[in-house]
Amino acid sequence: MGDRPPDQVIPELVLTAYRTVAGRAGIARTLMLEATSMSPEFEQAFRETGIRAFGRLAQYLATQMAAGRLRRMHPMLAVQSLVGGVMLHVLVGPLLSQAMVGGPTGEDAVAQFANLWLRGMRPETAG
């Protein structure tokens, strides 16, 4: 998908990631706990798989930034800003949905996160 524009790639990527962890909040919580504890075991596992996945996404974003399709910033910060909303939704979305009756849930919510991210990442226009 590296040759496709962010407007096509990012929503598909976010929905695929969400579908992978939807209904598995326990796994997401464990992953977040392990990531913040930075145990040697987690660091090794992340080096073997996570860095590669996040690195590929960061490289894609950097390429899109260089092409002028996305706002320029550090690509790993862009990755974090994209992943953060989705992870928070997976972890606390069911709880928060009790407070926002009629609000979007599930795939609708993460699609809105993707669209919000894309709007925020539009390159600044000269002016």
Side-chain angles (χ1 to χ4, degrees):
M1 293 195 322
D3 58 338
R4 290 174 45 200
D7 287 350
Q8 293 175 7
V9 172
I10 297 303
E12 188 173 328
L13 177 71
V14 167
L15 284 172
T16 300
Y18 175 74
R19 288 172 183 147
T20 301
V21 296
R24 297 178 183 94
I27 292 171
R29 273 193 298 278
T30 301
L31 179 62
M32 294 303 291
L33 178 65
E34 288 296 323
T36 57
S37 72
M38 294 305 290
S39 68
E41 295 85 10
F42 181 83
E43 285 187 59
Q44 179 181 351
F46 188 76
R47 271 195 299 276
E48 293 171 5
T49 58
I51 288 179
R52 189 172 357 148
F54 284 108
R56 288 180 70 190
L57 178 54
Q59 181 58 49
Y60 168 78
L61 297 177
T63 300
Q64 297 301 312
M65 289 173 195
R69 293 185 194 105
L70 292 175
R71 173 186 304 267
R72 288 186 180 266
M73 66 182 301
H74 194 286
M76 285 308 288
L77 291 178
V79 169
Q80 290 176 51
S81 70
L82 179 59
V83 172
V86 175
M87 284 300 289
L88 186 63
H89 179 71
V90 168
L91 295 171
V92 298
L95 178 64
L96 293 178
S97 69
Q98 296 172 11
M100 61 173 193
V101 175
T105 60
E107 291 185 14
D108 290 336
V110 297
Q112 288 187 35
F113 284 127
N115 289 327
L116 177 65
W117 186 89
L118 286 166
R119 280 193 302 266
M121 287 300 294
R122 283 190 189 126
E124 294 183 43
T125 57

